[in-house]
Amino acid sequence: MGGFIWFCHTYKQVNCNFIKTMLNKFLIILSFLPFVSFSQSIQNTYNNLQKHLEIKDFTTSEKIVDTLINLEPSNNNWIINKAEINANLNNIKKTNQLLRQAFNQGYYVYDNYSNENGILYKKLNKTKEYNSLLSDIKTYLHQFKQKENTQTISAKVPEIMECYAIMLYLINPKHTLINTAFQNHPYFKKIDIYFSEHKNNINLIELSKLYPGKFEDWIVNMKAHHNLRSFYFYDKFDTSKIVSLPIEENKIVANLVSQFAKDTNFLKFYDENKEFYDAMSSIILTNYSFGNEIIPFFNKNFNKKINKFNIFFTPIYSGWQHGPSVIIDDYIESFYFGGIMYVESKEFYYPDSYFLFTLISEFDHAPINKISSNYNEKFESLKEKYLLLSNGKNVSYSKLKDATNEYLTWAFALHFFYENKEYDYLLLEKMIIDDMEKYRGFIRFGEFWSFYKEEYINSKKYQNIDQFYPQIISWLSNLK
């Protein structure tokens, strides 16, 4: 599922056929779910799906994923899951139809469609329909690319994303995705005053039904979290106009947010606070030496260059995620979505080494995830090693490859400080190891960091992570 959430870290009449159709859908849902709440239904069904996929029971898995699609028709991930299941069942025509449906519904992650090591490519690459789809996606995305020979970085508070975050806060000030540690900041007071008359807005009520923000509803919270990557590319609140490279759309939620913005004249509130947003964006861009240190560090350690680093943030959010990245042939855009970290009593965001660490550990997902896709068969053969890396409680990283890549993204970020910022490194190292082992359940991170530091950084035997990755597979193989 990807991403990371802080969880308050200090941081009229109808015909008979219609009735029968709806009854059938309801019975399908009942056949896989106990009678529980909406969010619990999704979570229980997802857990059930994972169990059947693990044993390669694809026939039952398809029925279960149909339940998820009925529950969340705007969640493109379920359609992609169903396509992959049908590819495994050799239902080639149906798989192509599902992929076209996902694209038409706003799923634009080209690399997920075209990965040569994935089941979709392996099963579909000789079909006309599949190659036509890839061509259509690529043609669509090309119009939003910047010049391929440039490397840039941007930081922004997108209007529609900020409106969405504020709606989550208005729904529940203690919402899992909202920063509860620094709600004494003046910006929260401005939100309370401006939106005090709009707490019964119908769009806010509808959004609260989807994402109430209860801590235990992890999969619903994760979808709410992933919605951040469904907004940034619109022309403010015009959800019919995309103006930058998109990842995926969630049109149902985007339209709720857009209508709430119109009802509340949100742009007036945004303009009143624009100096605040711009000041924080400027501080981020000017205090972290992206051009002089960070971009060169990425270029040195990966074969592929990232063309654009995007930071889309909101001042009130309590979590972060990496995207996924947009990868079209050799063109890459990498993303950070989420909150920022305050220093108490500061009116504006204050540069913080942990936040820089977080940015690096999200941006590096693009090249690291791409490299790891070349080792899918190796990961499958070593899957029993998973519980040697994790305590098994981190549901966002429940596969060996996902857990390994999270180890590597954090080690790579720590590597930057080890080589470039000795003072910050000495402060960060123990904190990062404790975070990974004690709070995130990655129980061998300290051991992995020592291995990475000696074998990759200090030995100087490998030009980049691409060359070093086989050694990580060997390290996994030798785990006991």
Side-chain angles (χ1 to χ4, degrees):
M1 300 290 285
F4 182 47
I5 303 176
W6 289 346
F7 294 135
C8 302
H9 206 283
T10 52
Y11 304 52
K12 302 183 186 169
Q13 274 186 350
V14 295
N15 63 51
C16 292
N17 286 334
F18 177 76
I19 293 173
K20 288 178 182 177
T21 300
M22 296 309 293
L23 181 58
N24 285 336
K25 288 185 176 181
F26 182 64
L27 289 174
I28 290 170
I29 292 173
L30 284 182
S31 66
F32 292 105
L33 297 175
F35 186 69
V36 292
S37 70
F38 173 76
S39 58
Q40 289 175 324
S41 294
I42 294 174
Q43 183 164 321
N44 291 344
T45 309
Y46 175 77
N47 292 341
N48 194 21
L49 175 64
Q50 294 305 306
K51 291 176 184 177
H52 286 274
L53 288 174
E54 188 70 25
I55 61 174
K56 302 186 186 301
D57 178 4
F58 298 116
T59 300
T60 305
S61 294
E62 183 176 17
K63 295 175 183 178
I64 298 171
V65 83
D66 279 339
T67 303
L68 289 166
I69 291 171
N70 283 319
L71 287 167
E72 282 192 301
S74 66
N75 190 333
N76 292 307
N77 291 315
W78 306 141
I79 299 174
I80 296 297
N81 285 162
K82 186 172 180 177
E84 292 173 342
I85 289 166
N86 275 272
N88 278 289
L89 291 169
N90 290 311
N91 295 333
I92 304 306
K93 181 178 180 181
K94 190 173 182 179
T95 304
N96 276 315
Q97 290 171 340
L98 286 163
L99 293 181
R100 176 63 67 171
Q101 178 186 345
F103 175 52
N104 290 342
Q105 191 166 294
Y107 189 78
Y108 306 116
V109 189
Y110 180 78
D111 192 50
N112 283 3
Y113 289 100
S114 63
N115 185 346
E116 293 184 8
N117 297 289
I119 187 66
L120 297 176
Y121 181 88
K122 290 178 179 179
K123 294 286 187 174
L124 306 177
N125 74 89
K126 294 181 180 179
T127 66
K128 178 181 177 181
E129 295 83 358
Y130 177 72
N131 286 288
S132 175
L133 173 65
L134 294 187
S135 177
D136 289 348
I137 299 171
K138 190 182 292 189
T139 299
Y140 178 75
L141 294 175
H142 265 292
Q143 64 184 305
F144 303 112
K145 290 163 55 179
Q146 67 174 27
K147 292 180 180 179
E148 295 201 18
N149 295 325
T150 59
Q151 288 186 282
T152 61
I153 188 158
S154 67
K156 184 182 179 182
V157 180
E159 292 89 346
I160 190 167
M161 195 173 97
E162 184 61 13
C163 186
Y164 173 69
I166 286 174
M167 290 176 75
L168 295 180
Y169 167 71
L170 295 173
I171 288 167
N172 179 4
K174 295 183 179 180
H175 198 290
T176 300
L177 299 175
I178 297 300
N179 189 328
T180 59
F182 296 111
Q183 290 189 10
N184 59 338
H185 191 278
Y187 183 64
F188 281 93
K189 184 69 172 179
K190 292 178 181 179
I191 294 171
D192 291 335
I193 293 171
Y194 189 91
F195 296 99
S196 61
E197 298 178 0
H198 302 288
K199 293 188 177 182
N200 292 320
N201 181 277
I202 185 61
N203 302 286
L204 192 64
I205 293 170
E206 290 302 311
L207 192 69
S208 72
K209 294 175 183 177
L210 296 174
Y211 312 119
K214 297 178 181 178
F215 179 85
E216 63 272 15
D217 296 341
W218 72 265
I219 198 165
V220 172
N221 290 328
M222 192 61 74
K223 180 55 184 173
H225 182 46
H226 285 175
N227 281 337
L228 293 187
R229 62 196 192 207
S230 304
F231 303 129
Y232 68 94
F233 44 78
Y234 290 124
D235 184 7
K236 296 182 179 178
F237 294 97
D238 185 351
T239 58
S240 67
K241 188 175 181 181
I242 293 175
V243 294
S244 64
L245 260 177
I247 294 174
E248 63 173 315
E249 296 186 78
N250 186 335
K251 294 179 181 179
I252 291 175
V253 173
N255 288 334
L256 285 176
V257 178
S258 178
Q259 190 56 53
F260 177 81
K262 293 173 185 176
D263 293 347
T264 61
N265 193 9
F266 182 84
L267 285 177
K268 178 176 182 290
F269 175 83
Y270 187 92
D271 289 342
E272 288 174 351
N273 292 279
K274 194 170 186 304
E275 182 181 357
F276 176 55
Y277 309 140
D278 290 348
M280 289 188 293
S281 298
S282 178
I283 290 168
I284 291 169
L285 291 175
T286 57
N287 283 275
Y288 286 145
S289 303
F290 282 101
N292 295 331
E293 293 182 346
I294 296 170
I295 292 178
F297 180 71
F298 272 77
N299 293 344
K300 173 186 173 184
N301 286 284
F302 296 107
N303 273 339
K304 301 277 189 180
K305 290 185 177 181
I306 297 174
N307 299 82
K308 190 176 183 182
F309 298 77
N310 297 281
I311 302 170
F312 295 115
F313 69 95
T314 160
I316 69 171
Y317 205 73
S318 183
W320 63 85
Q321 58 176 294
H322 71 273
S325 305
V326 175
I327 303 175
I328 316 164
D329 298 330
D330 290 330
Y331 182 87
I332 303 174
E333 285 200 22
S334 194
F335 297 86
Y336 168 91
F337 298 100
I340 58 173
M341 299 174 190
Y342 292 95
V343 169
E344 202 161 7
S345 83
K346 296 288 182 181
E347 177 70 19
F348 292 107
Y349 166 72
Y350 186 80
D352 177 87
S353 58
Y354 198 96
F355 183 55
L356 176 57
F357 174 92
T358 302
L359 289 175
I360 296 172
S361 70
E362 296 302 333
F363 286 146
D364 61 10
H365 269 282
I368 288 172
N369 289 0
K370 184 71 171 174
I371 294 167
S372 70
S373 68
N374 296 315
Y375 299 88
N376 287 343
E377 293 181 3
K378 286 286 189 181
F379 280 113
E380 179 63 22
S381 69
L382 293 169
K383 62 184 180 182
E384 74 279 1
K385 300 286 187 178
Y386 171 70
L387 289 177
L388 296 176
L389 285 187
S390 170
N391 63 10
K393 297 178 181 180
N394 196 323
V395 293
S396 297
Y397 306 91
S398 58
K399 300 284 180 65
L400 179 64
K401 185 172 81 168
D402 297 334
T404 302
N405 285 352
E406 194 69 2
Y407 269 63
L408 182 53
T409 57
W410 279 50
F412 180 77
L414 200 51
H415 176 183
F416 172 80
F417 288 91
Y418 180 78
E419 285 193 345
N420 296 282
K421 298 183 182 296
E422 182 180 358
Y423 174 77
D424 287 330
Y425 168 72
L426 294 173
L427 296 175
L428 276 174
E429 183 184 41
K430 185 178 185 306
M431 185 194 310
I432 297 304
I433 293 172
D434 283 350
D435 273 1
M436 288 291 274
E437 295 187 349
K438 296 179 181 178
Y439 303 109
R440 303 192 67 199
F442 294 119
I443 55 180
R444 306 285 281 270
F445 181 75
E447 183 181 336
F448 179 80
W449 169 241
S450 296
F451 154 75
Y452 177 98
K453 187 165 51 175
E454 294 306 314
E455 289 296 315
Y456 180 59
I457 303 175
N458 295 335
S459 77
K460 304 189 184 300
K461 292 188 293 188
Y462 309 96
Q463 291 184 359
N464 48 44
I465 298 292
D466 305 64
Q467 290 185 6
F468 179 63
Y469 207 92
Q471 300 306 312
I472 296 174
I473 299 296
S474 295
W475 182 82
L476 289 172
S477 301
N478 294 325
L479 278 181
K480 294 178 182 179

